[in-house]
């Protein structure tokens, strides 16, 4: 039961990290109007891409996550090239999943499940 609750906490942490990095990305590219709302939309779709990609195969998260980031970003009129948008999406997905995975494995070791 503790592992299940911990897993849910880390799912929430993953979304929070994706949202944080999306917000920083938008701020870095000069978006000042409704930054939090735009970051929420961008993070939601990126998170959905990660989740669907994880269901099919772990590697799918690194394909569908950046693709969802790129597709959603196109609707926000951010001045960035297509290639750069995909790479930024890949970086956000990689960093978010890496931090969350490290924390979750640490949690599993702490409770003796790993």
């Amino acid at each position: 039961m503790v592992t299940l609750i911990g897993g849910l906490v880390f799912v929430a942490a993953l979304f929070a990290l994706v949202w944080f990095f999306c917000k920083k990305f938008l701020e870095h590219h000069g978006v000042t109007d409704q930054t939090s709302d735009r970051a929420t939309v961008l993070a939601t779709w990126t998170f959905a891409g990660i989740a669907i990609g994880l269901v099919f195969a772990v590697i799918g998260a690194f394909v569908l996550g950046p693709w969802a980031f790129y597709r959603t970003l196109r609707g926000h009129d951010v001045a960035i090239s297509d290639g750069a948008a995909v790479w930024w999406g890949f970086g956000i997905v990689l960093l978010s999943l890496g931090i969350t995975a490290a924390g979750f494995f640490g949690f599993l070791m702490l409770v003796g499940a790993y």
Side-chain angles (χ1 to χ4, degrees):
M1 187 62 154
V2 171
T3 305
L4 180 62
I5 292 170
L8 292 174
V9 168
F10 280 99
V11 168
L14 175 61
F15 181 79
L17 283 168
V18 171
W19 181 85
F20 175 77
F21 291 132
C22 286
K23 184 174 181 190
K24 290 301 176 188
F25 167 82
L26 291 171
E27 289 171 350
H28 176 75
H29 284 88
V31 175
T32 56
D33 185 40
Q34 299 175 338
T35 307
S36 292
D37 292 339
R38 288 180 171 194
T40 300
V41 171
L42 192 56
T44 300
W45 283 105
T46 304
F47 183 81
I50 292 170
I52 292 169
L54 285 173
V55 168
F56 291 110
V58 174
I59 195 75
F62 298 103
V63 174
L64 292 178
W67 179 79
F69 178 86
Y70 161 76
R71 293 297 299 161
T72 306
L73 188 63
R74 291 293 105 206
H76 288 282
D77 297 326
V78 177
I80 188 170
S81 70
D82 292 343
V86 170
W87 280 110
W88 271 95
F90 181 76
I92 288 171
V93 168
L94 182 65
L95 191 57
S96 299
L97 280 174
I99 291 170
T100 304
F104 188 62
F105 283 123
F107 168 75
L108 290 177
M109 289 176 63
L110 183 68
V111 298
Y114 179 69

